Amino acid sequence: MNPYHIFKYVPLSVLQMLARFVAWIIMWLPNSSLVRTIKINMALITPKLSESQKQTLVKDIVRHQCLSSVESIKSWAMLPEWSIAQICDVHNKDILLEGLANPNGMLAIVPHLGTWEMMNAWLNQFGAPTIMYKPVKGNITNNFVLQGRARLNATLVPTDGSGVKAVFKTLKQGGFSIVLPDHVPDPSGGVVVPFFGVKTLTSTLASKLASKTKCALVGISCIRRDDGRGFDIYCYKLDDPTLYDRDASIAADALNRAMENMITDNFNHYMWGYRRFKNLPVLGNPYRASETALADFIRVNQAEHRNDSVDT
């Protein structure tokens, strides 16, 4: 038996308690990779916050990320019905239903926000989406994740040309797919556009699919309730015409702004432990840069961002 299956027998409340304890330990390790990455991301996008404000923010983000991790593992270990039962309220469900009824198909835009794996099971009630899947590291872990996702109605396809074609075909047939558009792509699969005021390499996959198919775009997030008892689904109507622009840079910029709006609603629930800015045109990889180089970049970027705001 896969050792991860032990999560099937541990109550979610116990796992969440353990996650909070792990988060507390991590905060006592300020040089850990997770804390350092979050601090650099906050330095890049929230330069005006005081050090005490950033410390509080980092602590909250670490806690939410630990919680989302154990909740995702629990979701993979359980039948889909269990995950669906954890959903309490669905906000703006009519937006989702309208998108699913679009004859050109629907593309669900799902950033690394909240516990998206829980949302996966819930969303699969509405059809059989085609979803691209990239194997995770480690055979034991990958087999566990695959087994969990195989219980859903989704058709999993590889993250290559054949997978893109499969998603395109699904949309052309009026079906739907789910995309996490905030992954850092290979240079050939992205353009450099702002994300929270920082120009960084951004995927163009979702934008190109939207431009070619004219499918409906619906943003979806799954956020843990404040009392820790269950999750709420939030649906966002993404209908800015520039999301469908044939110019990949214009469309990707519009999609980043749409994701910013989704993330800002539940900022601390975003996976800021992800190295989203590891490919910056001027600085390169900020997670490997010296403190001096990073500080210089932030100062210059802040000035440029301020000038761009004045010009617009």
Side-chain angles (χ1 to χ4, degrees):
M1 183 178 78
N2 191 302
Y4 281 104
H5 285 299
I6 190 66
F7 282 82
K8 182 177 181 180
Y9 305 101
V10 183
L12 180 60
S13 58
V14 174
L15 292 174
Q16 290 174 327
M17 181 177 64
L18 291 173
R20 293 186 181 95
F21 177 66
V22 170
W24 179 79
I25 292 176
I26 290 174
M27 287 307 299
W28 280 94
L29 304 171
N31 293 322
S32 70
S33 177
L34 176 62
V35 172
R36 185 173 181 274
T37 297
I38 295 173
K39 284 183 175 180
I40 291 174
N41 284 337
M42 293 304 99
L44 286 167
I45 69 171
T46 61
K48 294 181 180 180
L49 293 184
S50 67
E51 287 305 313
S52 62
Q53 288 174 319
K54 287 180 183 178
Q55 181 70 7
T56 300
L57 187 58
V58 170
K59 182 180 179 180
D60 208 23
I61 291 169
V62 169
R63 178 170 56 86
H64 283 302
Q65 189 156 332
C66 288
L67 285 166
S68 293
S69 295
V70 297
E71 291 158 357
S72 296
I73 296 173
K74 179 68 173 178
S75 179
W76 289 322
M78 304 298 287
L79 293 174
E81 291 75 15
W82 179 89
S83 295
I84 294 169
Q86 308 309 308
I87 305 303
C88 298
D89 293 325
V90 180
H91 303 266
N92 301 315
K93 186 178 179 180
D94 57 309
I95 293 175
L96 172 65
L97 297 179
E98 180 184 349
L100 290 168
N102 191 309
N104 295 325
M106 185 196 84
L107 193 60
I109 301 300
V110 182
H112 290 81
L113 177 63
T115 307
W116 60 91
E117 292 295 346
M118 200 79 72
M119 178 275 306
N120 246 349
W122 178 85
L123 190 55
N124 270 251
Q125 297 179 99
F126 298 94
T130 299
I131 305 174
M132 289 190 289
Y133 175 75
K134 182 178 181 179
V136 298
K137 293 181 180 180
N139 289 334
I140 293 176
T141 302
N142 186 60
N143 290 339
F144 173 70
V145 175
L146 270 178
Q147 188 177 43
R149 290 185 174 176
R151 298 191 185 106
L152 307 178
N153 295 323
T155 298
L156 302 180
V157 295
T159 54
D160 57 19
S162 65
V164 174
K165 289 180 180 179
V167 172
F168 180 79
K169 182 179 179 180
T170 295
L171 295 175
K172 292 292 287 184
Q173 293 175 344
F176 77 98
S177 182
I178 304 169
V179 172
L180 276 71
D182 49 347
H183 278 295
V184 178
D186 293 328
S188 60
V191 292
V192 175
V193 291
F195 184 61
F196 281 96
V198 180
K199 294 179 180 178
T200 188
L201 187 64
T202 299
S203 173
T204 58
L205 174 60
S207 302
K208 288 180 178 179
L209 287 170
S211 175
K212 291 180 179 180
T213 65
K214 305 304 178 185
C215 63
L217 296 174
V218 177
I220 308 178
S221 63
C222 179
I223 304 299
R224 183 183 317 98
R225 292 168 72 97
D226 291 338
D227 60 7
R229 298 179 179 178
F231 302 79
D232 285 352
I233 299 286
Y234 294 84
C235 303
Y236 298 80
K237 188 171 184 177
L238 310 183
D239 56 357
D240 181 347
T242 55
L243 289 165
Y244 297 87
D245 202 287
R246 291 186 177 182
D247 186 316
S249 294
I250 293 175
D253 180 47
L255 186 55
N256 271 359
R257 282 187 275 109
M259 284 193 290
E260 287 175 20
N261 291 334
M262 293 175 62
I263 293 166
T264 300
D265 283 348
N266 293 283
F267 188 85
N268 296 356
H269 290 256
Y270 187 69
M271 196 174 75
W272 290 112
Y274 179 56
R275 299 189 172 188
R276 178 64 183 86
F277 302 103
K278 66 181 180 181
N279 199 326
L280 302 181
V282 178
L283 182 62
N285 189 338
Y287 311 104
R288 296 180 179 176
S290 67
E291 291 186 9
T292 301
L294 181 61
D296 289 343
F297 173 82
I298 292 171
R299 184 174 61 256
V300 172
N301 183 73
Q302 188 177 3
E304 291 179 349
H305 185 59
R306 188 162 52 244
N307 292 336
D308 289 341
S309 298
V310 172
D311 291 340
T312 55

